[in-house]
Amino acid sequence: MLNFAWWWVFFAIPLPIIVRLLSKKAQDMPMAALRVPSLRPGEVSEQTQLRQTKIPLVVSSLIWLLLVTAAARPQWLGEPVSIPNEGREMMLAVDLSGSMKIDDMQLQGRQVNRLTMTKSVVYDFIQRRVGDRLGLILFADTAYVQAPLTYDRDTVSTLLSEAVIGLVGEQTAIGDAIGLAVKRFDEREESNNVLILLTDGQNTAGNITPEQAKELAISKGVKVYTIGVGADKMLIQSFFGSRQINPSQELDEGMLTDIATSTGGQYFRARNAQELQSIYQQLDALEPIEGETRKMRPLSALFYYPLAAAILLSALWAFLTLAISSYRWIKRKQNPFSAHGPELTKETK
């Protein structure tokens, strides 16, 4: 459907007529004038002929109408589109501590560190959350909001992909990450607040303890899902040969389980990329995307069509006028006495 955002601009259409009438009244005022008789009876100048034709009036009127139409901002409203409106606010908290660089994960047949594997899996999860408002918190020695709650999933994915280990230290401030997420949720009302916290260690830094953060989440109605990342077995090479170790021995599963169950969430253990992918699929089921829908109509601007037509028509008219004037000037230069030659010849005889 065609719509004009600034429809009141059309009231300017009579403006040239008003200006013309006022200028005509000014010309009709009595004043001294010097009249020069024509050299030939009945001869009409080119300027007079041009003024007597209606073509310039039609062209200028059309250009003016096109400019007014463009200024009125024509828009095209498309058909209504259904958009999910679940009202869910979901914050992702990702650990960037030094232990996340341990290469104990397999991704597409190659050995990668924990953060690289996390980015790959979380990216797919973010793209599936159509209709949810997502945010991103990164934490190590402290926690900070990398992406505020937004519907722009591409931006959240990009900011996560740009995160690097050690950006904010080497330790793990789990309590600060939960507290910061609760604070951001507290600014929103009438929404389902969900925090997904991914870490591979225990709380070793921060201003808020995990216990305090848990109580704060409970009081604000924030549901926390915790994910412990890291393999149980890893072979390392040494001078005496290879030996097997547990790279996740510092993972505090008891604390993560307590936070999750106390807030109404759930604790998950991700030992490889497949398990982490399965966990995010379970989260899709636990926190479904489908909900009530709202209608929105796509809007497309059309002002550039009449504006381009006005510019093109003005350029063509200027070119045509210049071409005609140049042709007549050249013609007079080639035969300067063509207009008055016969009279002058008779007088000479």
Side-chain angles (χ1 to χ4, degrees):
M1 181 180 68
L2 185 62
N3 180 41
F4 292 92
W6 297 346
W7 55 268
W8 44 267
V9 175
F10 285 112
F11 288 115
I13 291 178
L15 187 60
I17 301 177
I18 298 174
V19 173
R20 184 178 179 85
L21 292 176
L22 293 177
S23 61
K24 186 176 181 180
K25 289 183 178 180
Q27 292 177 358
D28 291 340
M29 296 178 62
M31 59 181 295
L34 176 63
R35 299 182 179 276
V36 179
S38 175
L39 296 177
R40 296 182 59 186
E43 181 182 357
V44 181
S45 65
E46 295 176 357
Q47 292 81 2
T48 305
Q49 292 178 357
L50 187 62
R51 286 195 296 266
Q52 289 177 351
T53 61
K54 296 182 179 180
I55 296 179
L57 178 62
V58 173
V59 174
S60 59
S61 299
L62 182 57
I63 293 174
W64 174 249
L65 289 175
L66 290 171
L67 290 175
V68 172
T69 303
R73 290 182 59 189
Q75 301 170 337
W76 181 262
L77 293 176
E79 295 297 325
V81 178
S82 299
I83 297 179
N85 186 24
E86 179 69 12
R88 179 182 284 101
E89 311 286 343
M90 183 173 290
M91 190 72 75
L92 306 175
V94 179
D95 189 352
L96 289 185
S97 61
S99 56
M100 288 292 287
K101 62 185 175 184
I102 298 177
D103 297 329
D104 60 347
M105 293 293 174
Q106 291 283 335
L107 181 63
Q108 298 178 354
R110 59 191 180 93
Q111 198 80 9
V112 297
N113 62 40
R114 296 170 178 177
L115 181 59
T116 301
M117 183 271 295
T118 299
K119 290 179 179 180
S120 176
V121 177
V122 175
Y123 176 83
D124 295 332
F125 175 77
I126 292 174
Q127 296 305 313
R128 293 197 300 268
R129 304 307 299 188
V130 179
D132 284 352
R133 192 189 297 268
L134 299 178
L136 177 63
I137 291 177
L138 302 177
F139 66 96
D141 288 357
T142 185
Y144 67 96
V145 177
Q146 180 74 346
L149 291 167
T150 177
Y151 288 112
D152 190 350
R153 304 187 310 280
D154 292 335
T155 297
V156 177
S157 299
T158 301
L159 293 175
L160 176 60
S161 66
E162 294 174 350
V164 295
I165 297 174
L167 184 64
V168 285
E170 297 288 331
Q171 302 187 67
T172 309
I174 296 176
D176 284 7
I178 298 175
L180 181 58
V182 173
K183 180 180 179 181
R184 303 298 294 189
F185 286 138
D186 197 36
E187 299 173 359
R188 310 289 304 178
E189 297 180 357
E190 300 180 358
S191 62
N192 299 325
N193 300 327
V194 177
L195 169 64
I196 301 175
L197 185 140
L198 187 146
T199 183
D200 66 343
Q202 56 184 331
N203 190 81
T204 57
N207 300 316
I208 303 177
T209 65
E211 183 67 25
Q212 293 172 330
K214 179 188 70 174
E215 297 299 328
L216 185 62
I218 294 173
S219 64
K220 298 297 183 179
V222 177
K223 186 185 297 185
V224 183
Y225 291 96
T226 56
I227 303 175
V229 180
D232 287 337
K233 300 177 182 179
M234 180 181 179
L235 291 176
I236 62 172
Q237 301 295 328
S238 66
F239 179 78
F240 300 99
S242 62
R243 62 189 180 94
Q244 182 175 287
I245 64 170
N246 179 12
S248 300
Q249 59 184 354
E250 295 184 357
L251 180 62
D252 193 346
E253 294 190 80
M255 178 264 294
L256 295 176
T257 302
D258 178 57
I259 292 175
T261 55
S262 300
T263 58
Q266 187 175 342
Y267 169 69
F268 301 95
R269 183 73 171 90
R271 299 171 180 84
N272 50 56
Q274 291 73 23
E275 286 187 359
L276 186 58
Q277 181 68 43
S278 175
I279 289 170
Y280 280 108
Q281 291 175 355
Q282 294 180 55
L283 289 173
D284 284 336
L286 292 171
E287 301 293 335
I289 302 171
E290 293 80 13
E292 296 181 0
T293 59
R294 57 178 178 173
K295 298 290 185 179
M296 292 189 66
R297 304 186 68 174
L299 185 66
S300 300
L302 302 176
F303 71 92
Y304 42 83
Y305 289 112
L307 180 61
I311 295 175
L312 180 61
L313 187 58
S314 300
L316 290 176
W317 179 249
F319 176 77
L320 182 61
T321 304
L322 181 61
I324 294 175
S325 301
S326 300
Y327 171 76
R328 290 175 176 173
W329 181 81
I330 294 173
K331 190 175 180 181
R332 286 197 301 268
K333 284 292 185 180
Q334 291 177 348
N335 193 4
F337 300 108
S338 59
H340 313 297
E343 287 77 0
L344 295 175
T345 304
K346 291 178 181 180
E347 292 175 2
T348 304
K349 292 181 178 179

